[in-house]
Amino acid sequence: MAADAPFTIVVGVDGSTQSRAAMDWAVEEAALRHGNVLALTAWHYPYVSDALGQSWDYEIFRSDAQVILDEELDRVRGATVPVDGRVVQGNPGAVLVEASRGADLVAVGSRGHGGFAGLLLGSVSSQTVHHAHCPVLVFREPPAREGPA
């Protein structure tokens, strides 16, 4: 971004293997560039309603997101670069696209916990790649190896 601002990497955090790989890479890259990392976990209200008329405990969605972020921040505690975290209400793809406005790079996993296993990109990574205001690095899970190494 600005010449005097540190190199900022935004990482989408959802607790998946791919998002952990994105975080690990972001911490290492930020150290090389004397930058910082902003970890974002997004949450939103479900799109479905309960046909029985039961009420949702909406606070649980935010608190679950906070637990996911806290666990990831604890995992990288002691990194040699500043790592900040934020829980944001909103569609995860839109949250990452908006955060990309102030970032030099966005790192995101190819697929989170939802969706279809056969997809190369999930909806969040696809939305981020197509609409971000900076470069995006997408992390995929390594393919399963067959037989002995």
Side-chain angles (χ1 to χ4, degrees):
M1 305 292 1
D4 58 343
F7 192 86
T8 299
I9 301 173
V10 169
V11 181
V13 173
D14 67 2
S16 68
T17 302
Q18 293 94 340
S19 77
R20 285 192 298 276
M23 175 64 94
D24 292 342
W25 181 88
V27 167
E28 288 180 25
E29 187 67 18
L32 292 173
R33 295 177 181 262
H34 307 288
N36 59 48
V37 175
L38 173 60
L40 295 178
T41 301
W43 67 276
H44 56 86
Y45 295 117
Y47 297 118
V48 296
S49 63
D50 187 334
L52 299 177
Q54 296 175 341
S55 63
W56 291 87
D57 178 5
Y58 290 114
E59 176 58 23
I60 196 75
F61 297 104
R62 191 210 58 78
S63 64
D64 284 351
Q66 187 67 56
V67 167
I68 290 168
L69 179 62
D70 289 346
E71 287 175 354
E72 190 64 4
L73 293 175
D74 285 345
R75 196 178 68 77
V76 297
R77 190 173 316 285
T80 59
V81 297
V83 179
D84 294 316
R86 231 181 315 169
V87 171
V88 181
Q89 180 184 353
N91 172 282
V95 166
L96 290 171
V97 167
E98 183 58 32
S100 75
R101 291 181 187 276
D104 295 288
L105 183 74
V106 173
V108 64
S110 60
R111 291 184 302 107
H113 288 297
F116 301 96
L119 295 177
L120 293 177
L121 287 180
S123 60
V124 172
S125 56
S126 182
Q127 183 176 0
T128 305
V129 164
H130 286 95
H131 300 289
H133 301 276
C134 66
V136 177
L137 188 58
V138 179
F139 286 82
R140 292 188 60 208
E141 193 168 329
R145 295 177 63 165
E146 294 182 23

